[in-house]
Amino acid sequence: MSVRAVHHTSLVEKAVAELRRLIGDGEWPVGTKLPGEVELSRLLGVGRSTSREAVRALIADGQLRAQHGSGTYVVSATPVSEFDRTLRRGRVADVYEVRVALEVEAGRLAALRRTPDDIAALRAALAARDAASTGPELAEADVELHRLVVRAAHNPVLDEVFTTFLGALRATAASVIADDRRSPDQDDRTANAHRALVQAIVDGDPDAAVAATRQNLDPTLAILR
Amino acid sequence: MSVRAVHHTSLVEKAVAELRRLIGDGEWPVGTKLPGEVELSRLLGVGRSTSREAVRALIADGQLRAQHGSGTYVVSATPVSEFDRTLRRGRVADVYEVRVALEVEAGRLAALRRTPDDIAALRAALAARDAASTGPELAEADVELHRLVVRAAHNPVLDEVFTTFLGALRATAASVIADDRRSPDQDDRTANAHRALVQAIVDGDPDAAVAATRQNLDPTLAILR
DNA sequence: GTCCTCAGGTCCTCTGAGGAGTTGTACTCT
DNA sequence: AGAGTACAACTCCTCAGAGGACCTGAGGAC
C-alpha cells in the first residue's frame, strides 16, 4: 500500500496560486491594475480577508504593489527574489565579473559535453549572429549564442544561475553596454572570438574554449571597470 | 535643495519588519512557536488581521510556517529565496560544479588583488587548517580558508553568491562529503593543494591559483559525479 | 491658468464570529 | 496495567461588517 501524505491547501494558498497563474500566464501583464478588494475576492471565490492575505503574499514576493487609495498593481511577472535584489544593488562590474566566472567554466564544460544537437544549435546561432546587422538585433543574437554555450554545459543549476545573471545585467547594464559605441575593428575581434569559442567547443578543446570565452568577455569587463 | 519622498509605511509593513527583527536577531530562533493570533497581535500592537497579513508575508518569504490547528513556527532565520530553493532542488554535483566555477575565478582574482591583510589572513587560516586534527574541525577550517580566498577577490557580489552556494551545499551535501572517508594519502594531496593555492595567491600568480583551486575541488566533484 | 473643494473609489485596519484541524489529557474498557 | 477512545482546549482559517486614511479626477472659484 502506498500512502501519500495528505496535502492540505488552504484557501489562501489556492488564491495565491491562482494570482500567480494569472500574472505568470500574462493575463494580467505588468502594469495591470487589479480589481478592487470586493471584486477580487468575488473573482477568486473567497472572502475579502483571504484574498487580501493572498495579495499580501505576492507583495512579499515582489510581484504586486499596493498603493493606498489608488489600487493594487502588477509590477513583475516573476517573483523577485532576495537574490535578484542583491544583484541589482551590486556594482555592474562586480556582477559582470561573476558572470564571467560562470561562463568561463560553462565554456570549458561545453567543450567536454557538447552533443551533436548542441553543435548544430551553436553553429546556427553563430550564423545568426554574423547575419545580424546592428544594435538590438546583434545584442539579441549575441545573448542567444552565450545562452546556448551555457546550455551545452548540461548543468541545469549553472543554466539557471546564468539566466538570473543575464536578467540582472540586462536590467542594469544594458544602457552601459549599448552606449558604448564599438569601433568596427573591435566588432571584428569580437566576432572572431565568438567563432573561436564555437570552434573550440566543436573541437572538444576545453582550454581553447576558456581562452575564447575570456577573449569574448574581458573587453566589456574592462569597459565596466 | 534635496527633496526626499515621503515614505508611507503601513502597519502591516511595520509588523513585518518587527517580526523579521525578532527572527533575525535570534530572539525567536528556528523552531520557535509563535504566540497565538490574539496574543501576537497584542504584542505587535495591531489588529488580528493585520498581524495575520504580516505573518503571511513571512510565510511567503519562507521564514515562517503555519500549521493549521497546531501553531505558527519559525523555520528559517533568513528569507529563503527562490534561488535557495533552486539550489536545494538541484543535484548536488551540479551545484558543486557551479561552486567550482565561482571559486576558480575567485582564486584567479585573489592572486591579482590580494592585499597584505588578505595574505596574513590566508596564512593564518592555512596554519589553522594544518593544525586541525580531524572531522568537523577540519571541515570548518577548510571552509574558512575557501571563504577567505573568495574574500581576497574583493568582489562583494561574488562573495555573496559564493556564501549562498556554501550554505546550500552545507545543507544538502554535508553528509555526502563527510561520509567519504578519505585516505591519508588523499589528505596529504589536499593539504598540499591548499598550500599551493595560498602560495599562488601570495605570489600573485593567477594561473597557478586557478590550477591549485582545481586540484582542490576536482576530487570532490569526481566523487559526487 | 491656477488653486481649492469634494465626491467616489481604493486600500488599510479593527473586530466579532464560526469552522476546521491538532494535541494532550482524562477516562473507559480489556 | 495497557490500549484505545472521547473530549476539551488550543490553534490557525475563513468570512463579513464597519470605519478610517488616502488618492484621483471633476468641477467650481479666483
Side-chain angles (χ1 to χ4, degrees), chain B residues 28-41:
Chain B
W28 287 350
V30 171
T32 305
K33 175 178 177 176
L34 267 62
E37 287 186 348
V38 180
E39 172 70 6
L40 181 61
S41 52

Side-chain angles (χ1 to χ4, degrees), chain A residues 21-92:
Chain A
R21 190 191 68 76
L22 285 165
I23 297 171
D25 285 2
E27 299 201 31
W28 287 350
V30 172
T32 305
K33 176 178 175 175
L34 266 62
E37 288 186 348
V38 181
E39 172 71 4
L40 180 61
S41 52
R42 202 186 55 72
L43 274 177
L44 295 173
V46 298
R48 229 179 60 254
S49 345
T50 304
S51 80
R52 268 192 64 81
E53 286 189 30
V55 167
R56 181 62 60 185
L58 266 75
I59 290 175
D61 275 351
Q63 295 200 76
L64 293 179
R65 169 187 223 81
Q67 277 194 344
H68 194 170
S70 167
T72 305
Y73 304 86
V74 179
V75 294
S76 167
T78 57
V80 178
S81 68
E82 193 51 44
F83 193 69
D84 286 320
R85 279 190 277 270
T86 301
L87 294 190
R88 276 162 224 267
R89 269 200 308 269
R91 290 179 48 200
V92 174

Side-chain angles (χ1 to χ4, degrees), chain B residues 10-12 45-50 68-70:
Chain B
S10 68
L11 277 187
V12 176
V46 299
R48 233 178 53 253
S49 21
T50 304
H68 192 170
S70 169

Side-chain angles (χ1 to χ4, degrees), chain A residues 101-110 112-113 150-159 161, chain B residues 87 90-105 162 165 169 173 213-214 217-218 220-222 224-225:
Chain A
L102 296 172
E103 205 166 336
V104 165
E105 183 70 5
R108 202 180 73 86
L109 293 173
L112 296 172
R113 299 181 185 163
V150 175
R151 186 144 313 150
H154 294 279
N155 179 328
V157 174
L158 179 57
D159 210 322
V161 175
Chain B
L87 294 190
R91 289 179 48 199
V92 174
D94 289 338
V95 178
Y96 199 91
E97 201 163 78
V98 180
R99 176 227 165 126
V100 172
L102 296 173
E103 205 166 336
V104 165
E105 183 71 5
F162 182 73
F165 270 81
L169 282 170
T213 305
R214 286 221 167 279
L217 302 176
D218 280 347
T220 304
L221 187 54
L224 291 175
R225 284 232 164 261

Side-chain angles (χ1 to χ4, degrees), chain B residues 145-162:
Chain B
L145 178 57
H146 288 268
R147 207 188 287 278
L148 283 174
V149 169
V150 174
R151 187 144 311 149
H154 294 279
N155 178 330
V157 175
L158 179 56
D159 209 321
E160 182 145 348
V161 176
F162 182 73

